[in-house]
Amino acid sequence: MSGRTVVVTGGTRGVGAGIARAFVEAGADVVVCARRPAENPVEGCRFVPLDLRDRPAVAEFFAALPRLDVLVNNAGGTPHRLLTDVDAERHARVVELNLLVPLTATLAAHEHLARARGSVVMIGSVSGGRPSPGSAAYGAAKAGLESLARSMAVEWAPDVRVNTLVVGMVRTESSHLHYGGAEGIAAVSRTVPLGRLAEPSDVGSAAVFLASDAARYVSGASLLVHGGGERPAFLDAATARKED
């Protein structure tokens, strides 16, 4: 990735920081943007403060870049909220952050990317392909993001490649908020076929692959980064046993 410029949205912590670090290690010039700077910045990255929901500011940010080869739409997330616990406006904000923000950023970056024959990596989620109680709006937005990426890949070919990383559970500094302490994280890890949660570096490596020349014929694809997925619940619930 030497000589290429990469923008990672929300690249200041967690998965985003892991992605930024992977591109730095691959030799890219990396710009991360978020509302607030990182407490522990990734060495080698340039930080630009940006509210990604501010569309004029997003357009101005991308217009000011001298070049852009790769855009990683990582900014997103949601708190745990059952559908009836909050009003529709709160859910709409989740959809905005996880679907409309990537759309806005990618449209603003399109001219740069087409000129460079670059690529877009959307950070999706397994929540977009299965029921997501407590994060239904997030799951719906991630499903839409994957669909958006496939359409972009067709509309913008052959100048820009667009792919999605469908990410499972990742161990970050916030994991305890979702799974509990060390015991909770260990218990959740045992539900993953590979026996552990992903590290941010695992997602970063996959993002670098999709953006690199090694994936030059990959576009409109969804790459699962989930450690083998989830063990079907019925296997543990079933009472039948195989005969000896």
Side-chain angles (χ1 to χ4, degrees), residues 141-158:
K142 290 298 188 181
L145 185 66
E146 201 171 344
S147 176
L148 175 64
R150 288 194 295 266
S151 295
M152 282 181 169
V154 174
E155 286 196 20
W156 294 354

Side-chain angles (χ1 to χ4, degrees), residues 141-178:
K142 290 298 188 181
L145 185 66
E146 201 171 344
S147 176
L148 175 64
R150 288 194 295 266
S151 295
M152 282 181 169
V154 174
E155 286 196 20
W156 294 354
D159 297 326
V160 182
R161 295 187 300 108
V162 186
N163 293 290
T164 304
L165 287 182
V166 182
V167 181
M169 296 180 289
V170 184
R171 183 165 186 163
T172 70
E173 60 268 30
S174 300
S175 292
H176 65 285
L177 299 177
H178 300 281

